[in-house]
Amino acid sequence: MNQISLVQKELFPFKKQLTEHPVYINLKTLKDVRVFMEHHVFAVWDFMSLLKALQQKFTCVSIPWVPVGNPKIRRLINQIVADEESDLDKHSNPASHFELYIDAMKECGASTQKINELLINLEKKNILDYLKSSPLPDAIKSFLHTTFNIIERGKNHEIAAAFTFGREDLIPDMFSSVLKDVQKNSSTNLDAFIYYLDRHIELDSDEHSPLAMKMIEELCENDSEKWADVLAVSKLVLSERVRLWDAINAHIRTHISFN
């Protein structure tokens, strides 16, 4: 069994917990979906920061241009960036996946107030400083804090692990669970959300996840310490996702929104 398979085996209980989480069956009304999206949008946003951190690490983003790093990893990252930052919406207009999600929120009546407040505050504050005094729910703050701590530590294989096993390898199965229950309540108000879920399932399962796995293998090779770090970081970020899902489920069940 290769190292990737060993990591996946260790992470299986976490993935199972997320793909079978009760939050999905509780998405029974449009209001439930709105609550889910108002929380989940923060994970959609911080995903892009993980991706851009990888791009800064493995490609040249300064002038004058010089060839940086491993060409194989460079190509992997640039391919994923192109899809995530410059995809097409359901009308074939260019948009990042974050912007697709915001459009889906607006279409179904979910509030974008809190995510907009975060983006505005980041013009003046560092993200970790903002989180210290932020009124966001603890589960969201903890999720974001974990992501940006990993980024700030600056270890390439750890950032790649959070991206690969905490996002790309998880999303197809997890979003399939979301989609199955959201479609039961399908209406014109959810068309953009269903498009977003379908698009992520398509890209991540067929293209991004295999590319990300190759990136991990290229970064860690036969270094046992790096593989141990990959496993530890992956367990951490998946645990944070479980905590976030638990919080969303609690908000849905009690009909309490943080907006």
Side-chain angles (χ1 to χ4, degrees), residues 14 22 114 197 207 231 244:
F14 295 89
K114 294 299 181 183
L197 294 173
E207 299 178 35
L231 182 58
L244 179 61

Side-chain angles (χ1 to χ4, degrees), residues 62-80:
S62 60
I63 298 172
W65 179 89
V66 293
V68 171
N70 185 320
K72 292 181 181 178
I73 296 178
R74 193 190 312 149
R75 179 172 174 80
L76 299 180
I77 293 301
N78 284 333
Q79 281 183 262
I80 297 174

Side-chain angles (χ1 to χ4, degrees), residues 182-207:
V182 164
Q183 284 181 319
K184 294 177 183 176
N185 310 299
S186 180
S187 70
T188 54
N189 288 332
L190 293 177
D191 284 353
F193 187 37
I194 290 171
Y195 175 85
Y196 169 87
L197 294 173
D198 275 330
R199 186 66 179 139
H200 254 286
I201 292 167
E202 175 189 359
L203 282 174
D204 293 339
S205 60
D206 295 339
E207 299 178 35

Side-chain angles (χ1 to χ4, degrees), residues 38-72:
E38 288 165 6
H39 288 72
H40 178 235
V41 66
F42 291 90
V44 175
W45 171 75
D46 91 330
F47 168 88
M48 290 302 300
S49 292
L50 277 172
L51 177 57
K52 299 304 281 188
L54 290 172
Q55 190 178 35
Q56 288 178 358
K57 292 282 187 180
F58 299 122
T59 74
C60 183
V61 291
S62 60
I63 298 172
W65 179 89
V66 293
V68 171
N70 185 320
K72 292 181 181 178

